[in-house]
């Protein structure tokens, strides 16, 4: 696949990802507004901050390094060894689930069981949901590497709709279940992802499209870990690169979810204020999640496919280098323009936006919502530049440069 073809596929993937993020955030906002009418702010705070933090930490630490390493130079990969390496995310996820679950249960302050019941069971179920999602990781990487651009959108859209539908139904019918409602919905979401990816690949491998791609596997059973005679189980170079990204992923996770860790471990806000903060934070991060995150995820694949990791610009094909440079320049101009617009208008209209969205609960009172949103608008400008430059550098750097 030429660099121009890769660029076309990645552009389509980025567009689909933007639509997916819009769907996800819109449903999340509507769901938050709906559940606040039936459940307390404290329950929303525990779910959206503490339990979601557990889930995202397990998933991120278990798979982020593998994704970045295995999507690098995917055209030259030995996919048997790549799949074997990707299956290590599952036992790693189990390990993180046990360790972090113990921290969430016994080291952190537990909510009042009368006001927020079923907290221990919810911790276990959210950890289980994280492990369930990791079971689809080899299929996710194969889909991204081979540019199945619609699969991710369809799978996540169906799973999100199922999750929100179940949440609404349970909130209306059995609100007394409390945290069980969100735990069941999270399990449905991750189970839906796994089911969609499995069904798609089962159908795809039986079709003629698998021969035309060409796809490295012929049967669904070949996607399970296995050993080929005469070959090592894992690619040593890829495993070392994964370890380099893994060491770095700790710092990135702390920076990404820093405010949630502060609220969770230092108890600077009660659960009700955490729920309000999470709503304001989600509103402030709309553009980052709608536009910047899909662009970063999609164009990391582009740069990883077009550029050869660890080689200087002179050592690579000059046509590919020129295309990558042009794409990087255009992306930086685009995100800077978006970031500047958000910074200017967001600072002026933060109070009005919060008043329209959440009423006086967010725009006035003890929680400094408008000030927080104004600060976030300036932060969006930094996110704009950081995301694009990060996806480029991590796709081009050698293992030694990643370590440094």
């Amino acid at each position: 696949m030429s660099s121009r073809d890769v660029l076309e596929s990645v552009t389509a993937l980025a567009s689909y990802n933007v639509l997916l993020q819009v769907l996800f955030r819109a449903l999340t906002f509507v769901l938050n507004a709906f559940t606040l009418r039936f459940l307390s702010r404290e329950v929303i705070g525990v779910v959206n901050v503490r339990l979601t933090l557990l889930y995202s930490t397990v998933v991120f630490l278990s798979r982020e390094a593998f994704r970045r390493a295995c999507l690098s130079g995917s055209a030259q990969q030995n996919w048997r060894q790549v799949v074997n390496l990707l299956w290590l995310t599952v036992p790693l996820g189990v390990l993180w689930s046990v360790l972090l679950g113990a921290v969430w249960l016994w080291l952190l302050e537990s909510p009042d069981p009368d006001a927020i019941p079923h907290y221990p069971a919810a911790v276990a179920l959210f950890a289980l949901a994280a492990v369930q999602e990791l079971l689809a990781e080899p299929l996710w990487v194969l889909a991204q590497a081979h540019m199945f651009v619609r699969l991710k959108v369809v799978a996540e859209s169906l799973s999100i709709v199922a999750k929100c539908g179940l949440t609404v139904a349970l909130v209306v019918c059995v609100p007394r279940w409390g945290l069980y409602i969100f735990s069941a919905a999270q399990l449905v979401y991750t189970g839906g992802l796994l089911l969609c990816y499995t069904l798609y690949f089962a159908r795809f491998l039986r079709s003629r499209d698998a021969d035309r791609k060409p796809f490295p596997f012929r049967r669904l059973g070949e996607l399970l870990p296995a050993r080929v005679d005469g070959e090592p189980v894992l690619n040593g170079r890829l495993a070392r690169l994964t370890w380099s990204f893994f060491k770095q992923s700790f710092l990135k996770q702390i920076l990404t979810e820093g405010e949630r860790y502060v609220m969770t471990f230092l108890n600077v806000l009660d659960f009700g204020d955490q729920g309000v903060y999470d709503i304001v934070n989600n509103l402030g991060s709309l553009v980052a999640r709608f536009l910047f995150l899909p662009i970063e995820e999609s164009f990391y694949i582009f740069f990883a496919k077009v550029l050869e990791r660890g080689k200087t610009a002179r050592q690579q094909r000059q046509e590919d280098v020129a295309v990558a440079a042009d794409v990087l320049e255009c992306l930086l101009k685009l995100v800077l323009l978006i970031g500047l617009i958000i910074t200017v208008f967001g600072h002026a209209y933060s109070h009005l936006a919060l008043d329209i969205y959440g009423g006086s609960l967010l725009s006035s009172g003890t929680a400094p919502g408008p000030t927080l949103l104004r600060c976030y608008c300036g932060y969006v400008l930094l996110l704009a530049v950081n995301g694009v430059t990060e996806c480029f550098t991590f796709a081009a750097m050698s293992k030694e440069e990643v370590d440094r």
Side-chain angles (χ1 to χ4, degrees):
M1 185 181 289
S2 68
S3 57
R4 298 289 179 180
D5 293 334
V6 174
L7 177 59
E8 182 179 346
S9 298
V10 167
T11 303
L13 178 62
S15 302
Y16 286 132
N17 282 341
V18 169
L19 293 175
L20 179 64
Q21 288 296 327
V22 170
L23 172 66
F24 177 74
R25 303 314 299 180
L27 286 176
T28 301
F29 279 165
V30 172
L31 188 63
N32 281 339
F34 177 80
T35 53
L36 276 171
R37 300 177 183 274
F38 292 86
L39 301 173
S40 65
R41 292 188 311 168
E42 286 74 18
V43 171
I44 302 299
V46 170
V47 172
N48 288 354
V49 176
R50 181 171 289 194
L51 294 177
T52 301
L53 180 63
L54 170 63
Y55 168 81
S56 64
T57 303
V58 172
V59 169
F60 187 90
L61 293 180
S62 301
R63 76 183 184 191
E64 179 69 11
F66 292 88
R67 285 186 172 184
R68 289 190 175 273
C70 293
L71 286 173
S72 303
S74 54
Q76 295 81 35
Q77 299 283 30
N78 180 327
W79 282 104
R80 175 72 273 156
Q81 294 176 334
V82 171
V83 168
N84 288 342
L85 181 64
L86 287 169
W87 276 107
L88 293 178
T89 59
V90 177
L92 187 60
V94 173
L95 177 62
W96 281 120
S97 296
V98 172
L99 294 178
L100 294 176
V103 172
W104 257 245
L105 286 174
W106 295 312
L107 296 185
L108 298 180
E109 179 185 359
S110 296
D112 182 3
D114 295 326
I116 308 174
H118 318 306
Y119 174 73
V123 169
L125 292 174
F126 267 79
L128 177 61
V131 175
Q132 184 171 250
E133 182 171 347
L134 293 173
L135 292 171
E137 192 60 20
L139 305 180
W140 186 94
V141 171
L142 282 170
Q144 295 295 100
H146 292 85
M147 294 299 170
F148 299 160
V149 293
R150 293 182 180 86
L151 174 57
K152 177 183 176 182
V153 178
V154 172
E156 295 200 14
S157 299
L158 292 175
S159 301
I160 290 169
V161 170
K163 172 184 176 180
C164 293
L166 179 63
T167 302
V168 169
L170 294 179
V171 164
V172 172
C173 298
V174 282
R176 63 183 180 278
W177 283 14
L179 297 182
Y180 277 144
I181 295 173
F182 299 95
S183 303
Q186 193 67 26
L187 284 169
V188 166
Y189 170 74
T190 56
L193 286 177
L194 178 60
L195 180 63
C196 287
Y197 277 98
T198 303
L199 291 177
Y200 178 87
F201 275 95
R203 178 179 176 275
F204 171 77
L205 291 173
R206 292 196 301 267
S207 69
R208 296 179 180 178
D209 293 338
D211 297 323
R212 289 197 297 264
K213 283 288 185 179
F215 197 71
F217 301 102
R218 292 292 175 267
R219 299 189 309 276
L220 192 63
E222 294 179 1
L223 298 177
L224 296 173
R227 182 168 188 167
V228 178
D229 293 338
E231 293 183 358
V233 177
L234 301 177
N235 183 313
R237 179 194 63 82
L238 203 60
R240 289 190 294 272
L241 181 61
T242 302
W243 175 243
S244 297
F245 280 123
F246 182 76
K247 290 182 290 185
Q248 185 196 73
S249 65
F250 283 94
L251 177 60
K252 182 174 180 179
Q253 176 66 7
I254 292 173
L255 294 175
T256 303
E257 302 280 8
E259 75 280 6
R260 296 175 186 269
Y261 287 114
V262 170
M263 289 188 293
T264 298
F265 286 92
L266 300 183
N267 296 320
V268 294
L269 297 174
D270 61 35
F271 292 118
D273 288 340
Q274 288 181 23
V276 173
Y277 171 83
D278 183 74
I279 294 172
V280 175
N281 180 62
N282 283 335
L283 185 62
S285 63
L286 276 176
V287 174
R289 295 180 185 276
F290 281 2
L291 297 177
F292 299 155
L293 182 60
I295 288 173
E296 179 183 349
E297 289 180 345
S298 302
F299 281 91
Y300 175 80
I301 299 172
F302 167 76
F303 291 126
K305 279 180 168 290
V306 170
L307 301 176
E308 295 186 48
R309 183 178 295 278
K311 290 188 177 181
T312 64
R314 295 181 181 276
Q315 295 173 324
Q316 311 209 32
R317 289 180 55 197
Q318 294 307 300
E319 178 187 356
D320 291 343
V321 172
V323 171
D326 289 341
V327 170
L328 179 62
E329 180 182 0
C330 291
L331 287 177
L332 283 173
K333 289 179 179 178
L334 173 64
V335 297
L336 271 174
L337 180 61
I338 296 172
L340 287 170
I341 291 173
I342 295 301
T343 300
V344 172
F345 287 94
H347 188 273
Y349 295 104
S350 291
H351 188 281
L352 178 61
L354 288 177
D355 196 58
I356 292 173
Y357 177 69
S360 60
L361 174 68
L362 300 180
S363 61
S364 61
T366 57
T371 303
L372 176 64
L373 190 55
R374 290 189 182 103
C375 294
Y376 212 105
C377 290
Y379 176 52
V380 165
L381 183 60
L382 301 179
L383 288 176
V385 181
N386 177 75
V388 172
T389 53
E390 182 181 282
C391 79
F392 173 79
T393 53
F394 285 144
M397 287 193 299
S398 65
K399 175 187 175 300
E400 290 74 19
E401 289 170 329
V402 172
D403 287 335
R404 286 203 301 271

